[in-house]
């Protein structure tokens, strides 16, 4: 545990020394801010319109979308760069287990995403002050839980893919492709083919987020699903690093 | 401290290390000497726990490098050839990070002590990315020394350093080697001669010779050589010198210069000098002509090639 924390702490600090990480943070917060302010403007111009006042999903919905494109940029460097710079040799000859390295890297990036998510809490606060009687608290908790779970799973996929490459751009594009597939494309075959659609529906991360967590419904099966994907990614990453020793 | 038996490592179909065995005790400074691509780095990587061997076994500080890799890594300080460092960290932060990974108590103190040891205190707050090659090398060395390891594995520790730094680092290694086991690789022969108690000459993955630098010289030459210079013609002196006990052969070189060979372990120079004076020659110069490790190395690798042809 101690090694994981040491590695995560270092990784978290590195994010704050990397311009790209700031760009990702500004990108996520900026886009959501624009969407939210636009919605508030509309509401102000037309207070008695048929539109319902915005709820928390106006923050968490776009955020999940933005994560698909942002997380590959955060994870691409994590292990690919260690391999390119040769510092992986340093880590693999330090008294650290391979999985501790992987989990530490993941945890560092997870803490960074949690920081972004933490800053984004100003949006629900703003929303809460504008709407009477305030926003739906349960929906907000469930939506944010969803965002955290999606981030954890995405980051672990990114870490696993980063461990396979020496080149961070290769890691970026493969992770991006993988997440786009898992988030947007996997629902398509389920609609086309009748057989096997259960499997595709099971894997569909998008629908698990949007049709339950982001609507205030917390299902145990969704929690298990997201945590399983996270664990699987970290497991694969550890295996890949271990297999590097044998080459 | 280090025991290696039948160690073999294949990269695909290429055999990088072929069935090598050796041992090193506490207080030994063992030098791995060989051309680039001889298998030095591969052997060191196996011993540092970075990768497992294809065959054979190795124990470091009593622990198996494969099944007890973590225990080995706790007791080994390793400086890889490429000196990988995190460029985006300061020297202090980097060493503190490594100290934390090694669970060292009083990490800050230990880092400062080690920085002092490698003479890098003034640069502690500087970013590693801005350091010169020589300074990077010293940071790498500091990292390897942080936990005062029982075994120190240094891959080309003086490469890229300027001459002044080379002298310092060699001195540092000798000091460390008094209480610990040091395994270092080099392709600079004079370096091995200066620092190491024992030299392993490795070529194409095979150890072709193992001994102290002095014995390697002696055993390969079979006899030692000396040269002398006198004023004027020296031809008449040949007979005189041949009479000295222990002298095997005397050959004239240029005018006034003779080369003589004598059995290793004996020193005939004093006696020769006396005889020259007695024979009323004016002795200008006399010295022994040692065979350098360069010569030995070339001879060994050539012999090996010849053996293969046969």
């Amino acid at each position: 545990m101690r090694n994981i924390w040491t590695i995560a702490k270092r990784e978290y600090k590195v994010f704050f020394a990397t311009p790209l990480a700031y760009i990702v943070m500004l990108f996520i917060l900026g886009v959501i801010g624009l969407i939210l302010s636009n919605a508030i403007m509309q509401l102000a111009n037309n207070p008695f319109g048929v539109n319902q006042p915005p709820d928390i999903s106006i923050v968490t919905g776009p955020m999940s979308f933005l994560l698909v494109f942002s997380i590959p940029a955060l994870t691409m460097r994590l292990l690919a760069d260690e391999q390119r710079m040769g510092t992986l040799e340093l880590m693999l000859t330090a008294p650290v287990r391979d999985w501790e390295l992987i989990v530490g890297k993941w945890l560092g990036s997870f803490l960074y995403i949690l920081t972004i998510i933490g800053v984004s809490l100003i949006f629900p606060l703003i929303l809460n002050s504008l709407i009477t009687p305030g926003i739906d608290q349960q929906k907000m908790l469930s939506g944010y839980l969803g965002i955290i779970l999606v981030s954890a799973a995405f980051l672990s996929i990114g870490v696993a893919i980063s461990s396979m490459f020496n080149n961070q751009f290769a890691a970026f594009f493969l992770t991006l492709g993988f997440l786009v597939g898992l988030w947007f494309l996997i629902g398509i075959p389920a609609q086309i083919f009748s057989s096997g659609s259960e499997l595709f529906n099971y894997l569909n991360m998008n629908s698990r987020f949007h049709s339950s967590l982001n609507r205030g419904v917390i299902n145990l099966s969704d929690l298990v699903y997201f945590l399983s994907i996270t664990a699987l990614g970290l497991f694969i990453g550890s295996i890949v690093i271990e297999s590097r020793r044998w080459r | 401290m280090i025991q290696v038996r039948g160690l073999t490592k294949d990269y695909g179909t290429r055999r990088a290390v072929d069935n090598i065995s050796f041992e090193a005790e506490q207080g030994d400074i063992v030098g791995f000497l060989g051309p680039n691509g001889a298998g030095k780095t591969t052997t060191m990587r196996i011993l540092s726990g970075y990768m497992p061997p294809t065959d054979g076994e190795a124990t470091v500080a009593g622990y198996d490098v494969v099944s007890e890799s973590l225990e080995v890594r706790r007791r080994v300080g390793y400086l890889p050839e490429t000196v990988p460092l995190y460029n985006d960290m300061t020297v202090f932060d980097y060493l503190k990070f490594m100290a934390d990974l090694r669970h060292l108590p009083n990490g800050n103190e230990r880092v400062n002590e080690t920085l002092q040891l490698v003479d890098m205190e003034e640069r502690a707050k500087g970013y590693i990315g801005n350091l010169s090659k020589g300074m990077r090398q010293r940071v790498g060395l500091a990292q390897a020394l942080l936990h005062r390891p029982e075994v120190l594995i240094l891959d080309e520790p003086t490469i890229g350093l300027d001459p002044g730094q080379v002298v310092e680092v060699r001195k540092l290694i000798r000091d460390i080697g008094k209480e610990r086991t040091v395994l270092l690789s080099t392709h600079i022969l004079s370096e091995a001669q200066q620092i190491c108690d024992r030299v392993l000459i490795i070529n194409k993955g095979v150890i072709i010779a193992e001994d102290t630098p002095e014995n390697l010289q002696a055993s390969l030459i079979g006899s030692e050589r000396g040269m002398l210079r006198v004023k004027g013609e020296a031809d008449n002196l040949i007979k005189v010198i041949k009479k000295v006990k222990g002298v095997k052969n005397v050959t004239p070189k240029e005018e006034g210069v003779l080369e003589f060979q004598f059995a290793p372990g004996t020193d005939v120079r004093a006696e020769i000098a006396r005889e020259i004076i007695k024979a009323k020659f004016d002795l200008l110069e006399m010295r022994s002509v040692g065979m350098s490790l360069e010569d030995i190395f070339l001879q060994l690798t050539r012999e090996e090639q010849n053996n293969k042809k046969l």
Side-chain angles (χ1 to χ4, degrees), chain A residues 50-72:
Chain A
V50 284
N51 289 340
Q52 283 196 325
D55 70 357
I56 188 65
S57 64
I58 200 166
V59 175
T60 49
M63 199 190 277
S64 69
F65 178 84
L66 294 170
L67 286 176
V68 174
F69 300 94
S70 314
I71 281 188

Side-chain angles (χ1 to χ4, degrees), chain B residues 126-170:
Chain B
Y127 277 92
I128 290 174
N130 299 336
L131 296 181
S132 69
K133 178 90 173 83
M135 290 185 171
R136 290 178 66 91
Q137 198 82 18
R138 281 193 266 170
V139 175
L141 204 56
Q143 173 272 126
L145 291 170
L146 264 181
H147 50 300
R148 308 292 182 261
E150 294 168 46
V151 176
L152 202 57
I153 299 179
L154 309 171
D155 201 351
E156 305 267 7
T158 58
I159 204 165
L161 300 181
D162 63 44
Q165 294 167 336
V166 168
V167 173
E168 278 172 38
V169 168
R170 283 180 188 163

Side-chain angles (χ1 to χ4, degrees), chain B residues 104-260:
Chain B
L104 299 181
N106 309 326
N108 288 343
E109 269 171 52
R110 187 57 77 84
V111 169
N112 285 326
E113 282 167 26
T114 313
L115 279 171
Q116 217 169 348
L117 202 64
V118 298
D119 198 18
M120 281 290 290
E121 302 137 286
E122 301 109 68
R123 301 302 294 266
K125 292 204 171 75
Y127 277 92
I128 290 174
N130 299 336
L131 296 181
S132 69
K133 178 90 173 83
M135 290 185 171
R136 290 178 66 91
Q137 198 82 18
R138 281 193 266 170
V139 175
L141 204 56
Q143 173 272 126
L145 291 170
L146 264 181
H147 50 300
R148 308 292 182 261
E150 294 168 46
V151 176
L152 202 57
I153 299 179
L154 309 171
D155 201 351
E156 305 267 7
T158 58
I159 204 165
L161 300 181
D162 63 44
Q165 294 167 336
V166 168
V167 173
E168 278 172 38
V169 168
R170 283 180 188 163
K171 186 178 171 297
L172 186 63
I173 294 171
R174 267 200 305 268
D175 289 346
I176 297 162
K178 280 173 194 155
E179 308 144 42
R180 296 161 212 284
T181 310
V182 181
L183 180 65
L184 64 90
S185 76
T186 176
H187 62 264
I188 306 161
L189 304 152
S190 62
E191 181 165 292
Q193 213 158 7
Q194 282 178 34
I195 321 180
C196 301
D197 306 318
R198 207 142 49 82
V199 176
L200 306 174
I201 296 182
I202 179 168
N203 190 38
K204 291 179 185 149
V206 183
I207 292 178
I208 51 181
E210 175 184 354
D211 215 327
T212 62
E214 296 78 27
N215 283 353
L216 271 178
Q217 281 177 326
S219 67
L220 277 159
I221 304 159
S223 59
E224 288 190 52
R225 286 180 301 167
M227 65 81 73
L228 60 86
R229 184 191 297 272
V230 293
K231 210 172 181 180
E233 276 294 318
D235 291 356
N236 295 333
L237 204 55
I238 296 177
K239 260 192 254 166
V240 177
I241 296 172
K242 270 191 175 164
K243 267 188 245 161
V244 175
K245 200 177 164 219
V247 173
K248 283 181 176 172
N249 201 6
V250 184
T251 43
K253 288 288 179 183
E254 50 201 275
E255 186 173 314
V257 177
L258 295 177
E259 195 181 277
F260 54 94

Side-chain angles (χ1 to χ4, degrees), chain A residues 76-140:
Chain A
M76 63 178 188
R77 178 184 54 79
L78 289 174
L79 286 137
D81 216 37
E82 295 255 355
Q83 283 164 55
R84 189 178 62 85
M85 300 289 289
T87 43
L88 190 66
E89 185 166 358
L90 215 59
M91 286 297 108
L92 295 188
T93 53
V96 176
R97 292 174 183 86
D98 295 351
W99 64 264
E100 288 177 329
L101 174 66
I102 290 287
V103 176
K105 292 273 178 187
W106 171 84
L107 183 59
S109 60
F110 186 57
L111 291 176
Y112 185 74
I113 281 285
L114 285 184
T115 308
I116 298 180
I117 293 173
V119 176
S120 82
L121 286 174
I122 53 167
F123 298 128
L125 281 176
I126 293 170
L127 214 52
N128 195 35
S129 67
L130 292 175
I131 301 170
T132 40
I135 54 171
D136 185 338
Q137 305 255 341
Q138 200 210 326
K139 213 171 162 187
M140 146 136 189

